[in-house]
Amino acid sequence: MFALTSEEGRTAVRIARAALEKNLRGEAFTMPDLPPAFSEKRGVFVTLTAGGSLRGCIGLPYPVMPLAEGIVHAALSAALEDPRFPAVRTGELAGIRVEVTVLSVPEPLTGPAAERAGHVEVGRHGLVVSGRGHSGLLLPQVATEYEWNTEEFLDHTCLKAGLPQGCWRRDEFEVAVFEGQIFTEEVE
């Protein structure tokens, strides 16, 4: 996984913030000139929090578009389309904190399903669990924030997918791991 520099990470957060502000104010957002890393196709998620609580989180787990476009797409989707929350309003923007997580490509865990927990590292890996036409993803930082162990992390990812807890122990379900570089908006 290529790593973004700290400056590129700050730029990623600024892109997400600017896209949100422009869109919610009904103004056109123009992509600034960017370093080459933003032209690479990457998976990306944007997480919005308000007062320390989740306010929206949506993204692209796979590298289907250039990073810059993915950041804008994820930011607007997190603000306007996360079904768990009402759309963010312009008046909320000042209290919203933006976090951008740039992902490596998810890689399926191979080997016996019962041994999957031994290949997941809390704090390093994010998870995708899929099967029966359902899929759920949790970012690496989620397990750390909730202080879950590996099995709890896997179980919660199953639940996020709308699948039975513990389904990761069965071969009919796929588990993939990925890593993420997390960039958080600095509070002034």
Side-chain angles (χ1 to χ4, degrees), residues 12-13 15-16 38 44 46 66-76 100 102:
V13 170
I15 291 168
F38 289 89
V44 63
V46 172
L67 179 58
E69 292 174 34
I71 291 168
V72 172
H73 174 81
L76 297 179
V100 175
V102 181

Side-chain angles (χ1 to χ4, degrees), residues 8-31:
E8 289 168 338
R10 286 189 290 276
T11 298
V13 170
R14 284 193 298 269
I15 291 168
R17 167 64 70 179
L20 280 176
E21 290 182 353
K22 292 284 189 180
N23 184 279
L24 292 179
R25 292 187 174 117
E27 302 170 12
F29 171 72
T30 303
M31 196 72 73

